[in-house]
């Protein structure tokens, strides 16, 4: 066993003595040692209950003959970090999480791992570490939050963000907003909707690194506790069979996950995280692959925020496994020989999958949209690509041309939107917000929600070298690459320049001649760094483009 490096033989007597100081018995030390990395804390609603998930995982490991050893990681709540300095630290936390799990698993050579995340950067960070360390491992998330109820309707966190814009527009009272604030997030779990956290937890299941149900079983359900116990038992099975993460997360597995991404209409942040996770497995997933998969995969689930169905309803309809079963009817289907953490192939897993609600999971020949949820746009404004959640764009905005309204920070743009300075037809440009320029590629949920709340969702577009929350809807195009801070064309746009967006044609252009852009570039100066000390300053120096997953240069 790998753990023999720290526990077996005469020379390891001091090591065993230290373990006994914590109460471990000789029998526990002799058993396989399974590291249980968790992100329980008291600042993220998706993580507040992970202590219960942790105890269930530990129970499962013990039931199957192993010894669980828990350790913690950090986590950032994107909702609480939104629209202030804290958001510059969110994406950057992904690398710290990956590094911390790697450090724990290498400094203390565990025989296997069970990783317990739930929210935006924690899930991909742990997946990156899982593939980097490559010992038998399972991931089990904390599960999605239930929707709240307000004035007879289902509501969620984004309802509150949009409510701020509605108050500013005069269509909601501050008293109603307070009532909505109290009702929107009724309990623990990752925010209710196909936002980034739930997107990544669903894709973990689709890749095969999480058990069936990982993406959709509600956080408050007893089924989630049972799943955690099963995850603890599953890692012992993987250890016995010597099935490792890189045996599971192959190119075929990522292609399966990308198809599920398109079918569900997942967050645009998956275009950052999936390539970064694949990179740790030695697999290259260029942006163009997302377009290739999108064009042949129908969008068959219309989930919050772009649609009306919740994660709970998706779970009741059969969950991710049912979605994958329906995708078998597409022309290219899925790779059924891909291995999963059940110890069986995807094809074997799907034999028991059932589609229980045809309103929630549409047939592939009668989908919500003929193409998948995400599109990658290219053009003179984004030579290396940009991303839009096309399933959440109103038909009126699929093709749009309008004058640029240029802002060099999210705060400037938010003030303009809420101050009534944006007109129908405008294209809001928020730049110097990329991985380097942000730094940390901050999410733009506040301005995009304000656009919806102000009633401009069907007439105004927003483009940025930053990124969007999974809660974003509308013609919002992010990850413009190269970013402004590295001299990308978005940094050369002037107020009033016409910007043409054509999502069906995968095109985004600024209507300025090449000669004029070259002239502007000759006088362009890089913006001064916004943070010059600490971790995020180091991150800004090392991070690569959003088009490559914002991974760090070694």
């Amino acid at each position: 066993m790998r753990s023999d490096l720290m526990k077996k033989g005469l020379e390891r007597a001091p090591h065993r003595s230290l373990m006994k100081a914590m109460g471990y018995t000789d029998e526990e030390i002799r058993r396989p040692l399974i590291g249980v990395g968790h992100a329980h804390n008291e600042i993220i609603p998706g993580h507040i209950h992970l202590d219960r998930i942790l105890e269930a995982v530990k129970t499962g490991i013990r039931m199957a003959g192993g010894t669980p050893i828990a350790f913690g990681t950090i986590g950032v709540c994107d909702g609480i970090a939104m629209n202030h300095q804290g958001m510059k630290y969110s994406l950057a936390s992904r690398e710290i999480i990956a590094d911390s799990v790697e450090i724990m698993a290498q400094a203390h050579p565990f025989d296997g791992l069970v990783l317990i995340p739930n929210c935006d950067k924690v899930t991909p960070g742990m997946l990156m570490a899982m593939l980097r360390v490559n010992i038998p491992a399972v991931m089990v998330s904390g599960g999605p939050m239930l929707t709240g109820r307000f004035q007879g309707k289902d509501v969620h966190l984004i309802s509150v963000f949009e409510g701020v814009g509605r108050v500013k527009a005069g269509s909601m009272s501050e008293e109603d907003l307070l009532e909505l604030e109290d009702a929107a997030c009724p309990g623990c779990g990752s925010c209710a909707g196909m936002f980034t956290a739930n997107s990544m937890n669903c894709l973990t299941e689709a890749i095969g690194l999480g058990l069936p149900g990982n993406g959709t079983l509600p956080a408050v359900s007893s089924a989630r506790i049972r799943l955690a116990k099963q995850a603890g038992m599953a890692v012992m099975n993987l250890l016995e069979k010597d099935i490792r993460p890189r045996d599971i997360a192959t190119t075929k597995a990522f292609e399966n996950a990308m198809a599920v991404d398109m079918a569900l209409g997942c967050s645009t942040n998956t275009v950052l995280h999936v390539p970064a996770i694949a990179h740790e497995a030695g697999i290259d997933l260029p942006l163009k692959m997302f377009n290739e998969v999108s064009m042949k995969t129908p969008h068959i689930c219309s989930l919050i925020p772009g649609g009306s169905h919740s994660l709970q309803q998706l779970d009741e309809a059969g969950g991710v496994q049912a979605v994958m079963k329906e995708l078998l009817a597409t022309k290219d289907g899925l790779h059924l020989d891909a291995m999963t953490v059940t110890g069986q192939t995807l094809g074997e897993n799907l034999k028991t999958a059932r589609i229980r609600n045809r309103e929630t999971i549409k047939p592939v020949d009668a989908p919500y949209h003929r193409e998948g949820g995400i599109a990658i746009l290219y053009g003179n404004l984004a030579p290396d690509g940009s991303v839009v959640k096309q399933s959440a764009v109103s038909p009126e905005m699929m093709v749009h041309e309008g004058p640029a309204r240029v802002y060099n920070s999210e705060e400037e743009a938010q003030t303009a939107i809420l101050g009534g300075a944006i007109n129908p037809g405008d294209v809001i440009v928020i730049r110097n917000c990329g991985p380097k320029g942000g730094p940390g590629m901050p999410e733009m949920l506040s301005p995009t929600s304000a656009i919806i709340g102000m009633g401009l969702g069907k007439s105004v577009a927003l483009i940025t070298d930053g990124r969007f929350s999974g809660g974003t809807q509308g013609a919002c195009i992010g990850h413009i690459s190269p970013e402004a801070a590295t001299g990308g064309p978005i940094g050369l746009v002037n107020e009033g320049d016409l910007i043409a967006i054509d999502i069906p044609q995968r095109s985004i252009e600024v209507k300025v001649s090449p000669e004029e852009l070259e002239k502007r570039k000759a006088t362009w100066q890089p913006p001064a760094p916004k943070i010059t000390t600490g971790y995020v300053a180091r991150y800004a120096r090392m991070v690569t483009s959003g088009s490559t997953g914002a991974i760090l240069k070694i």
Side-chain angles (χ1 to χ4, degrees):
M1 289 188 293
R2 186 171 182 264
S3 62
D4 287 348
L5 292 169
M6 63 176 168
K7 70 181 187 183
K8 189 173 183 180
L10 179 66
E11 294 182 352
R12 295 298 180 259
H15 303 62
R16 294 191 296 271
S17 181
L18 288 169
M19 297 188 75
K20 289 176 180 179
M22 295 177 281
Y24 292 107
T25 64
D26 285 324
E27 174 59 26
E28 287 175 300
I29 295 169
R30 277 194 292 268
R31 292 181 178 189
L33 304 183
I34 307 299
V36 186
H38 65 92
H40 171 251
N41 59 57
E42 297 180 349
I43 189 62
I44 306 177
H47 293 198
I48 190 71
H49 66 304
L50 293 189
D51 52 346
R52 293 188 63 215
I53 303 297
L54 169 63
E55 290 306 313
V57 167
K58 290 164 67 175
T59 296
I61 292 169
R62 291 191 184 103
M63 287 167 63
T67 297
I69 301 176
F71 63 90
T73 69
I74 63 166
V76 171
C77 178
D78 278 21
I80 295 174
M82 197 71 63
N83 198 30
H84 60 81
Q85 185 84 343
M87 182 44 67
K88 300 181 189 301
Y89 291 79
S90 174
L91 180 60
S93 73
R94 185 186 73 182
E95 316 308 315
I96 293 286
I97 292 160
D99 290 350
S100 66
V101 174
E102 175 195 3
I103 288 167
M104 292 299 291
Q106 299 290 34
H108 318 98
F110 299 124
D111 298 302
L113 288 170
V114 179
L115 299 177
I116 310 172
N118 212 26
C119 291
D120 300 48
K121 308 309 154 312
V122 187
T123 298
M126 286 188 172
L127 287 171
M128 290 164 67
M130 183 189 289
L131 288 163
R132 194 182 296 172
V133 176
N134 199 37
I135 59 176
V138 177
M139 179 167 284
V140 56
S141 75
M145 184 185 293
L146 300 179
T147 54
R149 295 287 292 174
F150 172 71
Q151 296 182 351
K153 296 180 180 179
D154 287 340
V155 290
H156 43 84
L157 176 65
I158 310 308
S159 307
V160 187
F161 273 97
E162 292 173 359
V164 175
R166 291 174 62 191
V167 170
K168 290 287 187 178
S171 61
M172 173 181 268
S173 68
E174 290 190 37
E175 291 76 17
D176 279 352
L177 179 59
L178 177 59
E179 186 180 338
L180 172 60
E181 174 187 325
D182 290 343
C185 298
C188 65
S190 48
C191 296
M194 193 50 76
F195 313 141
T196 306
N198 291 323
S199 294
M200 291 310 305
N201 289 330
C202 286
L203 295 190
T204 297
E205 185 177 336
I207 294 169
L209 293 172
L211 292 171
N214 181 72
T216 59
L217 287 170
V220 296
S221 67
S222 59
R224 177 62 59 177
I225 299 298
R226 295 196 298 271
L227 185 75
K229 292 177 181 177
Q230 290 161 1
M233 292 185 281
V235 74
M236 299 302 294
N237 180 52
L238 295 175
L239 179 60
E240 181 181 347
K241 295 181 176 180
D242 195 27
I243 298 173
R244 301 177 181 231
R246 292 189 193 179
D247 299 325
I248 294 169
T250 62
T251 299
K252 289 181 178 180
F254 282 107
E255 288 175 353
N256 287 345
M258 291 166 75
V260 172
D261 190 343
M262 300 306 161
L264 291 175
C266 288
S267 164
T268 52
N269 280 314
T270 61
V271 179
L272 279 176
H273 298 317
V274 172
I277 295 162
H279 174 76
E280 297 291 348
I283 296 169
D284 182 35
L285 291 183
L287 275 185
K288 65 179 183 179
M289 282 189 67
F290 285 88
N291 268 347
E292 292 168 2
V293 176
S294 181
M295 288 178 177
K296 63 184 181 182
T297 308
H299 175 225
I300 59 175
C301 296
S302 186
L303 300 161
I304 296 167
S308 60
H309 295 138
S310 66
L311 266 291
Q312 183 181 4
Q313 288 173 303
L314 177 58
D315 186 65
E316 292 166 355
V320 173
Q321 299 296 303
V323 171
M324 297 181 86
K325 188 151 193 172
E326 180 58 29
L327 289 179
L328 298 182
T330 60
K331 179 182 177 183
D332 294 317
L334 298 174
H335 300 290
L336 294 178
D337 58 341
M339 181 53 65
T340 74
V341 290
T342 64
Q344 297 181 309
T345 64
L346 176 64
E348 292 170 316
N349 290 348
L350 293 184
K351 287 178 181 177
T352 58
R354 290 175 51 210
I355 301 165
R356 299 188 180 94
N357 188 317
R358 277 299 185 185
E359 185 59 32
T360 304
I361 303 174
K362 293 285 192 183
V364 294
D365 57 359
Y368 288 100
H369 300 98
R370 292 290 172 186
E371 292 184 359
I374 288 174
I376 309 299
L377 311 186
Y378 295 92
N380 70 348
L381 194 52
D384 293 341
S386 59
V387 60
V388 62
K389 189 172 183 177
Q390 63 175 344
S391 60
V393 178
S394 64
E396 299 94 323
M397 294 298 291
M398 293 295 284
V399 178
H400 180 76
E401 182 175 310
R405 305 297 307 279
V406 181
Y407 303 96
N408 288 310
S409 71
E410 177 188 2
E411 293 79 11
E412 290 178 20
Q414 179 78 344
T415 298
I417 296 165
L418 294 178
I422 302 301
N423 303 310
D426 286 347
V427 178
I428 300 169
V429 178
I430 307 179
R431 63 191 181 193
N432 298 316
C433 294
K436 289 183 177 294
M441 211 176 183
E443 289 185 342
M444 304 291 166
L445 180 56
S446 292
T448 58
S449 297
I451 288 170
I452 300 298
M454 296 284 284
L456 298 170
K458 296 183 178 180
S459 61
V460 168
L462 189 155
I463 69 172
T464 181
D465 52 6
R467 60 194 177 93
F468 296 115
S469 161
T472 295
Q473 55 181 311
C476 299
I477 300 163
H479 308 198
I480 301 278
S481 300
E483 63 173 292
T486 62
I490 189 173
L492 308 178
V493 175
N494 286 345
E495 184 83 6
D497 286 347
L498 284 179
I499 293 177
I501 299 164
D502 191 329
I503 295 173
Q505 295 300 314
R506 307 294 196 262
S507 172
I508 182 167
E509 299 273 343
V510 56
K511 290 199 164 182
V512 174
S513 69
E515 294 78 16
E516 175 61 20
L517 287 176
E518 282 299 320
K519 182 179 176 182
R520 295 179 188 180
K521 191 167 186 177
T523 60
W524 174 84
Q525 294 292 325
K530 296 173 183 173
I531 298 177
T532 57
T533 61
Y535 169 63
V536 171
R538 297 196 303 274
Y539 174 89
R541 291 194 293 270
M542 299 173 66
V543 71
T544 62
S545 170
S547 64
T548 57
I551 58 176
L552 298 187
K553 294 176 290 188
I554 296 178

